[in-house]
Amino acid sequence: MDNVLAFILGGGIGSRLYPLTKFRSKPAVPLGGKYRLVDIPVSNCINSNILKIYVVTQFNSESLNRSVFQTYKFDIFSRGYIRVLTAEQSLDREGWFQGTADAVRKNVRHITDRDLDYVLILSGDQLYRMDYKKLVKEHIASGADATLALTLTPARKAPELGLARINENKEIISFVEKPKDPNVIKDFCIPPEVKAEKDRNGNGDYVLANMGIYVFSKKYLRELMESTTEQDFGKGIFPSLLGQKKLMGYIHEGYWEDIGTIKAFYEANLDLASPLPKFNLYDMDYPIYAQPLFLPPSKLEACNIKNSLISDGCLINRAYINHSIIGIRSMISKDTHIENSIIMGADSYEPEKRGRPNEVPLGIGRNCLIRKAIIDKHVYIGDNVKIINPQNHYNFTGPNYEIKDGIIVVEKEAVIPDGTII
């Protein structure tokens, strides 16, 4: 795969994941206790032997720059590289990226390697495994102008996704972007016999969702970017090419989840802690790579922990933890109860006596109760704190936290004093 370049699109401001994106770009959001979102597509590239990678972003890019630089270092003999491309002004390009196609258009001039023949465009906010070699080979064999990865998805999710319809030769014949009309969604549901072939359980309907993963030849991508001003692939580019160019669908059979919203992010993370998770972190044939932190083992003293993932370097004392993700360097004091929550941990250790001006130490204090929450990194939580949404808010904004879809999200570096109830 030396002739393939991967473009990983980091997305825009990441408002759907706010406040997790308040201080970082979307691909830099922590995942599964010790990973970041960008580690998923990069790991898929490495496992597919695609070692020439661009990560494109524009908002809060410093955290992503640091993470990529510290995590991925290819040796000089592999001829591989990973580079972060941020929005930049030039004599012929001004302004922010306005969509997926616009982000590629403004960076396509950076594709300078002469031995590159194909460009693989990826999204930075999805959880899945894919062997991109199969996708690229199918693209070449079909003689397509562009190949789009598609996945079978329950029709109830259709209003949040782009949908495609294919013929018996897997050629794409129609598109629709985030349809709200039930009749339109019904038109894009796959035939029952196709559903049966895929061994889908239940009586629900399924659609073919656009995964935001595309393959072009380098030559055609350059021509396309120069000949169109459309800003987005799914909304503008591909619908305009129907009937004029050969667009093929590649059917992805495995697990896939778009985790670009707080609810989807929360559910996908907690599923990793299930006895039989849909996404298996322990598959060493296709490992997910992360920054080597060289942390000590976690120390657990008289804890009761069920169906949870505990990351490296944690200090947990007499806590009850159920169905939760505990991130790196988490410090949790005794008699604290955590359930159905994601604790992202900290970027460094801090002596207990330092604390903040109100003397709240880093980590989670004594006798706290946390349910259905996401606690971002480097948060200071005092003693006897309850983060439980007692008013049952579905959406609410408070000081240093937000509630989205009933999930409490405490923002990075927030300070929660003793006795606070959220």
XYZ file of all heavy atoms in Angstrom, residues 154-165 174-189 207-210 234-235:
260
model
N -29.514 0.372 11.399
C -30.955 0.425 11.653
C -31.578 1.709 11.106
O -31.005 2.800 11.236
C -31.051 0.373 13.182
C -29.810 -0.339 13.601
C -28.749 0.093 12.636
N -32.742 1.582 10.490
C -33.397 2.725 9.854
C -33.721 3.833 10.850
O -33.826 4.998 10.461
C -34.666 2.251 9.143
N -33.858 3.504 12.137
C -34.160 4.538 13.138
C -33.038 5.572 13.254
O -33.255 6.683 13.734
C -34.444 3.896 14.498
C -33.304 3.053 15.015
C -33.644 2.389 16.352
N -32.666 1.390 16.732
C -31.477 1.649 17.249
N -31.135 2.902 17.484
N -30.641 0.682 17.555
N -31.820 5.215 12.809
C -30.692 6.144 12.865
C -30.561 6.970 11.595
O -29.689 7.844 11.511
C -29.391 5.375 13.111
C -29.328 4.659 14.447
C -27.963 4.015 14.651
C -27.865 3.335 16.011
N -26.524 2.730 16.227
N -31.407 6.728 10.604
C -31.277 7.367 9.297
C -31.292 8.894 9.334
O -30.556 9.530 8.583
C -32.371 6.856 8.361
N -32.118 9.533 10.195
C -32.140 11.005 10.191
C -30.812 11.669 10.542
O -30.651 12.864 10.320
C -33.221 11.329 11.240
C -34.112 10.138 11.258
C -33.187 8.988 11.051
N -29.865 10.922 11.080
C -28.567 11.484 11.448
C -27.460 11.089 10.478
O -26.303 11.432 10.690
C -28.182 11.031 12.856
C -29.168 11.427 13.936
C -29.346 12.939 14.032
O -28.344 13.660 13.880
O -30.486 13.387 14.238
N -27.825 10.385 9.398
C -26.809 9.831 8.513
C -27.106 10.130 7.054
O -28.232 10.457 6.687
C -26.722 8.303 8.701
C -26.372 7.796 10.104
C -26.622 6.305 10.196
C -24.927 8.116 10.448
N -26.088 10.001 6.220
C -26.281 10.019 4.786
C -26.572 8.608 4.308
O -25.951 7.651 4.778
N -27.523 8.456 3.402
C -27.935 7.133 2.934
C -27.624 6.969 1.452
O -27.625 7.940 0.689
C -29.427 6.905 3.170
C -29.981 7.181 4.571
C -31.459 6.824 4.616
C -29.201 6.423 5.637
N -27.368 5.735 1.050
C -27.121 5.430 -0.358
C -27.932 4.212 -0.759
O -28.277 3.362 0.073
C -25.636 5.183 -0.601
N -28.223 4.131 -2.061
C -28.897 2.969 -2.623
C -28.014 2.425 -3.735
O -27.439 3.199 -4.518
C -30.266 3.372 -3.171
C -31.314 2.294 -3.055
C -32.719 2.787 -3.224
N -32.863 3.993 -4.023
C -34.008 4.650 -4.139
N -35.068 4.229 -3.488
N -34.090 5.722 -4.871
N -28.419 6.310 -5.971
C -29.085 7.478 -5.382
C -28.513 7.770 -3.997
O -27.963 6.889 -3.337
C -30.607 7.282 -5.296
O -30.928 6.150 -4.513
N -28.688 9.023 -3.584
C -28.210 9.513 -2.290
C -29.298 10.321 -1.617
O -30.146 10.925 -2.269
C -27.027 10.471 -2.474
C -25.701 9.822 -2.670
C -25.118 9.804 -3.925
C -25.019 9.246 -1.616
C -23.890 9.228 -4.121
C -23.788 8.666 -1.802
C -23.222 8.655 -3.060
N -29.225 10.385 -0.300
C -29.999 11.360 0.454
C -29.231 11.641 1.745
O -28.624 10.734 2.323
C -31.432 10.861 0.751
C -31.413 9.645 1.675
C -32.290 11.973 1.340
N -29.212 12.884 2.168
C -28.443 13.286 3.341
C -29.370 13.586 4.517
O -30.235 14.454 4.436
C -27.600 14.524 3.021
C -26.616 14.924 4.107
C -25.427 13.995 4.216
O -25.220 13.180 3.300
O -24.701 14.093 5.223
N -29.229 12.819 5.602
C -29.974 13.008 6.852
C -31.478 13.234 6.608
O -32.023 14.271 6.985
C -29.374 14.183 7.636
C -27.934 13.937 8.052
C -27.355 15.082 8.865
C -25.921 14.793 9.278
N -25.313 15.879 10.053
N -32.140 12.261 6.014
C -33.563 12.427 5.709
C -34.431 12.404 6.958
O -34.193 11.630 7.885
C -33.863 11.221 4.819
C -32.898 10.175 5.288
C -31.641 10.932 5.642
N -35.437 13.267 6.990
C -36.383 13.308 8.103
C -37.740 12.707 7.716
O -38.510 12.297 8.584
C -36.575 14.757 8.562
C -35.277 15.440 9.007
C -34.647 14.772 10.206
C -33.475 15.571 10.779
N -32.289 15.522 9.919
N -38.028 12.669 6.430
C -39.308 12.155 5.931
C -39.316 10.626 6.011
O -38.490 9.963 5.386
C -39.514 12.605 4.482
C -40.897 12.247 3.944
O -41.555 11.351 4.516
O -41.313 12.864 2.946
N -40.258 10.022 6.772
C -40.315 8.555 6.885
C -40.472 7.853 5.546
O -39.958 6.739 5.364
C -41.537 8.325 7.790
C -41.709 9.595 8.548
C -41.273 10.683 7.615
N -41.169 8.480 4.605
C -41.353 7.853 3.293
C -40.038 7.782 2.518
O -39.771 6.813 1.807
C -42.395 8.625 2.484
C -43.783 8.505 3.071
O -44.156 7.446 3.592
N -44.554 9.582 3.026
N -39.208 8.818 2.659
C -37.896 8.805 2.002
C -37.021 7.724 2.621
O -36.344 6.965 1.912
C -37.223 10.186 2.124
C -35.790 10.121 1.595
C -38.024 11.236 1.379
N -37.045 7.637 3.948
C -36.257 6.609 4.630
C -36.697 5.219 4.192
O -35.868 4.335 3.938
C -36.376 6.769 6.159
C -35.767 8.103 6.594
C -35.692 5.606 6.880
C -35.974 8.428 8.067
N -37.995 5.036 4.070
C -38.527 3.733 3.645
C -38.020 3.359 2.264
O -37.719 2.197 1.988
C -40.053 3.764 3.672
C -40.701 2.421 3.372
C -42.211 2.495 3.503
C -42.860 1.143 3.213
N -44.345 1.209 3.330
N -37.908 4.342 1.379
C -37.411 4.078 0.022
C -35.968 3.601 0.020
O -35.542 2.913 -0.920
C -37.534 5.338 -0.841
C -38.974 5.666 -1.195
O -39.825 4.759 -1.103
O -39.247 6.835 -1.538
N -35.206 3.972 1.063
C -33.804 3.595 1.116
C -33.556 2.343 1.951
O -32.409 1.916 2.094
C -32.963 4.754 1.672
C -32.602 5.775 0.634
C -33.517 6.742 0.240
C -31.356 5.760 0.031
C -33.185 7.679 -0.718
C -31.011 6.692 -0.931
C -31.935 7.654 -1.321
N -34.604 1.747 2.503
C -34.437 0.505 3.264
C -34.042 -0.631 2.315
O -34.520 -0.713 1.188
C -35.736 0.143 3.989
S -36.101 1.218 5.406
N -30.882 0.359 6.574
C -30.494 1.198 5.449
C -28.979 1.077 5.258
O -28.264 0.609 6.140
C -30.875 2.675 5.677
C -32.383 2.852 5.689
C -30.258 3.194 6.983
N -28.498 1.515 4.094
C -27.066 1.567 3.841
C -26.589 2.985 4.136
O -26.937 3.923 3.431
C -26.757 1.192 2.393
C -26.763 -0.299 2.056
C -26.595 -0.502 0.555
C -25.662 -1.036 2.814
N -25.790 3.118 5.189
C -25.312 4.436 5.624
C -23.944 4.732 5.033
O -23.083 3.850 4.930
C -25.247 4.498 7.140
N -23.758 5.982 4.667
C -22.468 6.457 4.196
C -21.532 6.591 5.398
O -21.802 7.335 6.336
C -22.650 7.807 3.499
C -21.351 8.414 3.021
O -20.294 7.785 3.060
N -21.421 9.650 2.548
N -20.778 14.319 0.896
C -22.080 13.665 0.972
C -23.228 14.528 0.499
O -24.156 14.041 -0.158
N -23.194 15.822 0.811
C -24.295 16.715 0.461
C -24.209 17.225 -0.968
O -25.253 17.455 -1.607
C -24.321 17.914 1.411
C -24.625 17.572 2.849
C -24.562 18.817 3.723
C -24.805 18.496 5.191
N -24.692 19.691 6.061
